[in-house]
């Protein structure tokens, strides 16, 4: 079934002519919103262990992380090539020599055709971007920037530790080097209306970005958001609300933007709410069905500036 948006796997297949899959790498890095540089607790929704696998804490080298994942992904998905996805916390937040070593370890595997580097827009000094530009001459290199919302009041509310202007600066400097950018946004943030979420979509449509990841805000145990939820200060979106918001968001994005994700992926043991967030396939089917019924598709409501 053709998806009503430009999906990531089709984009990768068009580049490499085969199934390409991400391998999540845990490099053991941290975040300025946790180490005291701009904050001490992280964003209101952030899991204390980040989105990583814990492999770095267990002392598993990057080469071993890749080898183990390659075997599984080749069997399960028939993947032939791989991208090393530095995911947990801020993966440009370290001295350049250390980053050179980490990225080099990942790219030393002949089946790894590129890097995807998750980070914050306030953690990309020019020397790091220069190095990534060098690597991009022979590999596919994407930067993934967590923005979450185009509203400074929301970023302050969730303790993000940077503003929208820092994001715009990072985008400008990254694109000057020809590096593609994927932006993470979250639907259902505290205090935001559907109109606020769609304004974020319109904001992104005006930026020089190449991809987007749309996440559902869910409540993880032990977070500040968990406290707000327990105190009745935060209400999760219902599935129907999320589907409507996500469909409207996608319809306002330019058709060339690559949609890498359209929902969250919580850990069952850590999820507090909403329970439906665990039903990934059902959520995808609901989104696709809604967009089909409403005649919506990526770019339908986009207006070129």
């Amino acid at each position: 079934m053709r998806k009503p948006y430009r999906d990531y796997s089709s984009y990768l297949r068009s580049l490499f002519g085969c199934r390409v899959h991400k391998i999540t790498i845990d490099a053991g890095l941290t975040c300025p919103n946790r180490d005291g540089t701009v904050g001490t607790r992280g964003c209101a929704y952030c899991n204390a262990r980040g989105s990583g696998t814990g492999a770095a804490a267990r002392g598993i080298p990057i080469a071993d992380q890749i080898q183990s994942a390659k075997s599984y992904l080749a069997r399960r998905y028939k993947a032939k090539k791989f991208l090393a996805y530095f995911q947990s916390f801020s993966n440009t937040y370290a001295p350049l020599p250390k980053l050179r070593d980490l990225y080099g370890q990942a790219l030393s595997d002949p089946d790894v055709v590129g890097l995807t580097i998750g980070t914050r827009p306030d953690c990309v000094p020019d020397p790091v971007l220069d190095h990534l530009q060098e690597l991009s001459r022979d590999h596919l290199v994407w930067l993934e920037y967590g923005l979450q919302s185009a509203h400074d009041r929301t970023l302050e509310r969730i303790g993000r530790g940077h503003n929208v202007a820092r994001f715009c600066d990072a985008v400008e400097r990254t694109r000057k080097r020809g590096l593609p950018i994927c932006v993470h946004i979250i639907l259902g943030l505290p205090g935001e209306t559907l109109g606020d979420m769609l304004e974020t979509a319109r904001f992104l449509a005006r930026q020089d970005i190449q991809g987007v990841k749309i996440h559902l805000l869910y409540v993880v145990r032990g977070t500040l958001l968990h406290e707000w939820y327990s105190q009745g200060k935060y209400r999760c979106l219902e599935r129907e609300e999320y589907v409507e918001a996500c469909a409207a968001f996608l319809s306002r994005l330019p058709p060339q933007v690559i949609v890498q994700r359209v929902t969250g992926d919580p850990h069952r043991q850590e999820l507090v709410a909403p329970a439906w967030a665990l039903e990934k396939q059902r959520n995808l089917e609901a989104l696709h069905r809604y967009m089909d019924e409403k005649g919506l598709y990526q770019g339908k409501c986009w207006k070129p500036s």
Side-chain angles (χ1 to χ4, degrees), residues 231-280:
Q231 296 164 2
K233 297 178 180 178
Y234 174 71
R235 181 187 73 83
C236 300
L237 293 179
E238 300 292 342
R239 192 198 320 264
E240 295 76 14
E241 294 176 296
Y242 183 79
V243 165
E244 178 185 355
C246 190
F249 196 102
L250 288 166
S251 72
R252 285 158 174 80
L253 292 179
Q256 72 272 15
V257 170
I258 299 155
V259 179
Q260 296 197 20
R261 176 181 284 274
V262 292
T263 187
D265 226 354
H267 295 281
R268 184 177 298 274
Q269 298 82 358
E270 298 169 347
L271 180 69
V272 176
W276 62 264
L278 293 169
E279 300 171 339
K280 183 175 182 179

Side-chain angles (χ1 to χ4, degrees), residues 33-34 39-48 154-161 189-190 217-236 270 272:
N33 205 4
R34 285 194 168 273
T40 57
R41 187 169 179 176
C43 302
Y45 51 79
C46 189
N47 187 327
T154 300
L155 299 184
E156 183 175 356
R157 184 179 296 124
I158 63 177
R160 184 68 188 157
L189 287 166
L217 183 61
Y218 50 81
V219 181
V220 172
R221 202 173 311 281
T223 61
L224 181 58
L225 186 66
H226 186 193
E227 294 179 19
W228 294 345
Y229 178 78
S230 300
Q231 296 164 2
K233 297 178 180 178
Y234 174 71
R235 181 187 73 83
C236 300
E270 298 169 347
V272 176

Side-chain angles (χ1 to χ4, degrees), residues 12-142:
L12 290 175
R13 185 178 289 276
S14 72
L15 285 183
F16 297 102
C18 63
R19 181 67 183 258
V20 181
H21 212 288
K22 282 185 177 179
I23 293 175
T24 299
I25 302 297
D26 191 329
L29 299 178
T30 184
C31 169
N33 205 4
R34 285 194 168 273
D35 69 1
T37 303
V38 299
T40 57
R41 187 169 179 176
C43 302
Y45 51 79
C46 189
N47 187 327
R49 69 181 184 86
S51 52
T53 61
R58 298 195 302 274
I60 302 175
I62 286 177
D64 291 351
Q65 294 182 47
I66 290 175
Q67 192 56 50
S68 175
K70 275 174 55 176
S71 301
Y72 170 77
L73 295 170
R75 289 195 311 272
R76 176 80 184 270
Y77 300 106
K78 310 300 182 187
K80 296 181 178 180
K81 298 293 181 181
F82 304 91
L83 296 173
Y85 180 21
F86 286 80
Q87 181 181 20
S88 189
F89 295 125
S90 303
N91 292 279
T92 55
Y93 187 54
L96 181 56
K98 180 174 182 176
L99 295 175
R100 284 180 181 270
D101 178 61
L102 292 171
Y103 304 155
Q105 288 181 53
L107 291 173
S108 65
D109 188 295
D111 293 324
V112 173
V113 294
L115 303 174
T116 300
I117 300 172
T119 190
R120 292 165 53 96
D122 55 350
C123 292
V124 281
D126 285 338
V128 172
L129 291 176
D130 289 340
H131 178 57
L132 293 173
Q133 182 182 24
E134 293 174 12
L135 294 178
S136 72
R137 293 178 185 138
D138 299 309
H139 304 89
L140 180 64
V141 179
W142 277 72

